[in-house]
PDB file of all heavy atoms in Angstrom:
ATOM      1  N   SER A 215     210.204 -39.996  89.985  1.00  0.00           N
ATOM      2  CA  SER A 215     211.610 -40.387  90.028  1.00  0.00           C
ATOM      3  C   SER A 215     212.477 -39.345  90.733  1.00  0.00           C
ATOM      4  O   SER A 215     213.609 -39.622  91.119  1.00  0.00           O
ATOM      5  CB  SER A 215     212.144 -40.583  88.605  1.00  0.00           C
ATOM      6  OG  SER A 215     212.162 -39.342  87.919  1.00  0.00           O
ATOM      7  N   GLY A 216     211.942 -38.126  90.865  1.00  0.00           N
ATOM      8  CA  GLY A 216     212.732 -37.056  91.472  1.00  0.00           C
ATOM      9  C   GLY A 216     213.763 -36.452  90.535  1.00  0.00           C
ATOM     10  O   GLY A 216     214.548 -35.600  90.939  1.00  0.00           O
ATOM     11  N   GLU A 217     213.757 -36.887  89.263  1.00  0.00           N
ATOM     12  CA  GLU A 217     214.685 -36.309  88.282  1.00  0.00           C
ATOM     13  C   GLU A 217     214.421 -34.817  88.123  1.00  0.00           C
ATOM     14  O   GLU A 217     213.273 -34.401  87.977  1.00  0.00           O
ATOM     15  CB  GLU A 217     214.464 -36.964  86.911  1.00  0.00           C
ATOM     16  CG  GLU A 217     215.360 -38.119  86.624  1.00  0.00           C
ATOM     17  CD  GLU A 217     215.416 -38.416  85.123  1.00  0.00           C
ATOM     18  OE1 GLU A 217     214.507 -37.997  84.379  1.00  0.00           O
ATOM     19  OE2 GLU A 217     216.365 -39.070  84.699  1.00  0.00           O
ATOM     20  N   GLU A 218     215.492 -34.040  88.083  1.00  0.00           N
ATOM     21  CA  GLU A 218     215.318 -32.590  88.049  1.00  0.00           C
ATOM     22  C   GLU A 218     214.670 -32.095  86.765  1.00  0.00           C
ATOM     23  O   GLU A 218     213.986 -31.075  86.750  1.00  0.00           O
ATOM     24  CB  GLU A 218     216.676 -31.910  88.233  1.00  0.00           C
ATOM     25  CG  GLU A 218     216.753 -31.182  89.566  1.00  0.00           C
ATOM     26  CD  GLU A 218     218.118 -30.607  89.811  1.00  0.00           C
ATOM     27  OE1 GLU A 218     218.567 -29.837  88.960  1.00  0.00           O
ATOM     28  OE2 GLU A 218     218.707 -30.941  90.845  1.00  0.00           O
ATOM     29  N   SER A 219     214.899 -32.819  85.662  1.00  0.00           N
ATOM     30  CA  SER A 219     214.372 -32.376  84.370  1.00  0.00           C
ATOM     31  C   SER A 219     212.875 -32.624  84.233  1.00  0.00           C
ATOM     32  O   SER A 219     212.261 -32.224  83.257  1.00  0.00           O
ATOM     33  CB  SER A 219     215.104 -33.125  83.258  1.00  0.00           C
ATOM     34  OG  SER A 219     214.879 -34.509  83.404  1.00  0.00           O
ATOM     35  N   LYS A 220     212.267 -33.306  85.207  1.00  0.00           N
ATOM     36  CA  LYS A 220     210.865 -33.691  85.074  1.00  0.00           C
ATOM     37  C   LYS A 220     209.924 -32.693  85.729  1.00  0.00           C
ATOM     38  O   LYS A 220     210.226 -32.108  86.754  1.00  0.00           O
ATOM     39  CB  LYS A 220     210.634 -35.069  85.704  1.00  0.00           C
ATOM     40  CG  LYS A 220     211.404 -36.185  85.018  1.00  0.00           C
ATOM     41  CD  LYS A 220     210.668 -36.688  83.801  1.00  0.00           C
ATOM     42  CE  LYS A 220     211.378 -37.851  83.133  1.00  0.00           C
ATOM     43  NZ  LYS A 220     212.583 -37.454  82.387  1.00  0.00           N
ATOM     44  N   TRP A 221     208.731 -32.539  85.110  1.00  0.00           N
ATOM     45  CA  TRP A 221     207.685 -31.718  85.703  1.00  0.00           C
ATOM     46  C   TRP A 221     206.981 -32.509  86.790  1.00  0.00           C
ATOM     47  O   TRP A 221     207.102 -33.723  86.889  1.00  0.00           O
ATOM     48  CB  TRP A 221     206.676 -31.299  84.641  1.00  0.00           C
ATOM     49  CG  TRP A 221     207.240 -30.454  83.547  1.00  0.00           C
ATOM     50  CD1 TRP A 221     207.580 -30.873  82.293  1.00  0.00           C
ATOM     51  CD2 TRP A 221     207.563 -29.060  83.601  1.00  0.00           C
ATOM     52  NE1 TRP A 221     208.074 -29.813  81.571  1.00  0.00           N
ATOM     53  CE2 TRP A 221     208.075 -28.691  82.343  1.00  0.00           C
ATOM     54  CE3 TRP A 221     207.453 -28.083  84.599  1.00  0.00           C
ATOM     55  CZ2 TRP A 221     208.475 -27.386  82.048  1.00  0.00           C
ATOM     56  CZ3 TRP A 221     207.857 -26.782  84.302  1.00  0.00           C
ATOM     57  CH2 TRP A 221     208.364 -26.451  83.041  1.00  0.00           C
ATOM     58  N   GLY A 222     206.192 -31.800  87.582  1.00  0.00           N
ATOM     59  CA  GLY A 222     205.406 -32.478  88.607  1.00  0.00           C
ATOM     60  C   GLY A 222     206.014 -32.317  89.985  1.00  0.00           C
ATOM     61  O   GLY A 222     207.218 -32.118  90.123  1.00  0.00           O
ATOM     62  N   GLY A 223     205.169 -32.373  90.986  1.00  0.00           N
ATOM     63  CA  GLY A 223     205.642 -32.259  92.356  1.00  0.00           C
ATOM     64  C   GLY A 223     206.084 -33.602  92.895  1.00  0.00           C
ATOM     65  O   GLY A 223     205.945 -34.631  92.220  1.00  0.00           O
ATOM     66  N   ASN A 224     206.631 -33.595  94.088  1.00  0.00           N
ATOM     67  CA  ASN A 224     206.960 -34.870  94.732  1.00  0.00           C
ATOM     68  C   ASN A 224     205.660 -35.503  95.257  1.00  0.00           C
ATOM     69  O   ASN A 224     204.574 -34.962  95.077  1.00  0.00           O
ATOM     70  CB  ASN A 224     208.021 -34.683  95.824  1.00  0.00           C
ATOM     71  CG  ASN A 224     207.514 -33.822  96.983  1.00  0.00           C
ATOM     72  OD1 ASN A 224     206.322 -33.788  97.270  1.00  0.00           O
ATOM     73  ND2 ASN A 224     208.422 -33.126  97.642  1.00  0.00           N
ATOM     74  N   LEU A 225     205.783 -36.660  95.917  1.00  0.00           N
ATOM     75  CA  LEU A 225     204.597 -37.419  96.295  1.00  0.00           C
ATOM     76  C   LEU A 225     203.697 -36.626  97.240  1.00  0.00           C
ATOM     77  O   LEU A 225     202.478 -36.571  97.065  1.00  0.00           O
ATOM     78  CB  LEU A 225     205.007 -38.744  96.952  1.00  0.00           C
ATOM     79  CG  LEU A 225     205.931 -39.652  96.134  1.00  0.00           C
ATOM     80  CD1 LEU A 225     206.212 -40.941  96.891  1.00  0.00           C
ATOM     81  CD2 LEU A 225     205.340 -39.958  94.767  1.00  0.00           C
ATOM     82  N   LYS A 226     204.327 -35.998  98.218  1.00  0.00           N
ATOM     83  CA  LYS A 226     203.557 -35.271  99.227  1.00  0.00           C
ATOM     84  C   LYS A 226     202.853 -34.059  98.600  1.00  0.00           C
ATOM     85  O   LYS A 226     201.657 -33.835  98.827  1.00  0.00           O
ATOM     86  CB  LYS A 226     204.514 -34.819 100.332  1.00  0.00           C
ATOM     87  CG  LYS A 226     203.853 -34.322 101.581  1.00  0.00           C
ATOM     88  CD  LYS A 226     204.850 -34.370 102.765  1.00  0.00           C
ATOM     89  CE  LYS A 226     204.303 -33.570 103.936  1.00  0.00           C
ATOM     90  NZ  LYS A 226     204.453 -32.101 103.745  1.00  0.00           N
ATOM     91  N   GLU A 227     203.598 -33.310  97.815  1.00  0.00           N
ATOM     92  CA  GLU A 227     203.019 -32.128  97.153  1.00  0.00           C
ATOM     93  C   GLU A 227     201.865 -32.534  96.238  1.00  0.00           C
ATOM     94  O   GLU A 227     200.845 -31.848  96.160  1.00  0.00           O
ATOM     95  CB  GLU A 227     204.095 -31.413  96.313  1.00  0.00           C
ATOM     96  CG  GLU A 227     205.146 -30.697  97.136  1.00  0.00           C
ATOM     97  CD  GLU A 227     206.430 -30.421  96.335  1.00  0.00           C
ATOM     98  OE1 GLU A 227     206.601 -30.952  95.213  1.00  0.00           O
ATOM     99  OE2 GLU A 227     207.274 -29.676  96.866  1.00  0.00           O
ATOM    100  N   SER A 228     202.047 -33.657  95.559  1.00  0.00           N
ATOM    101  CA  SER A 228     201.030 -34.097  94.602  1.00  0.00           C
ATOM    102  C   SER A 228     199.750 -34.522  95.324  1.00  0.00           C
ATOM    103  O   SER A 228     198.647 -34.216  94.863  1.00  0.00           O
ATOM    104  CB  SER A 228     201.568 -35.241  93.748  1.00  0.00           C
ATOM    105  OG  SER A 228     202.717 -34.821  93.051  1.00  0.00           O
ATOM    106  N   ALA A 229     199.895 -35.209  96.446  1.00  0.00           N
ATOM    107  CA  ALA A 229     198.717 -35.631  97.224  1.00  0.00           C
ATOM    108  C   ALA A 229     197.955 -34.404  97.705  1.00  0.00           C
ATOM    109  O   ALA A 229     196.712 -34.367  97.679  1.00  0.00           O
ATOM    110  CB  ALA A 229     199.153 -36.499  98.405  1.00  0.00           C
TER     111      ALA A 229
END
Side-chain angles (χ1 to χ4, degrees):
S215 66
E217 266 199 340
E218 248 175 56
S219 61
K220 297 277 183 286
W221 298 101
N224 65 28
L225 304 182
K226 193 160 167 283
E227 289 160 349
S228 301

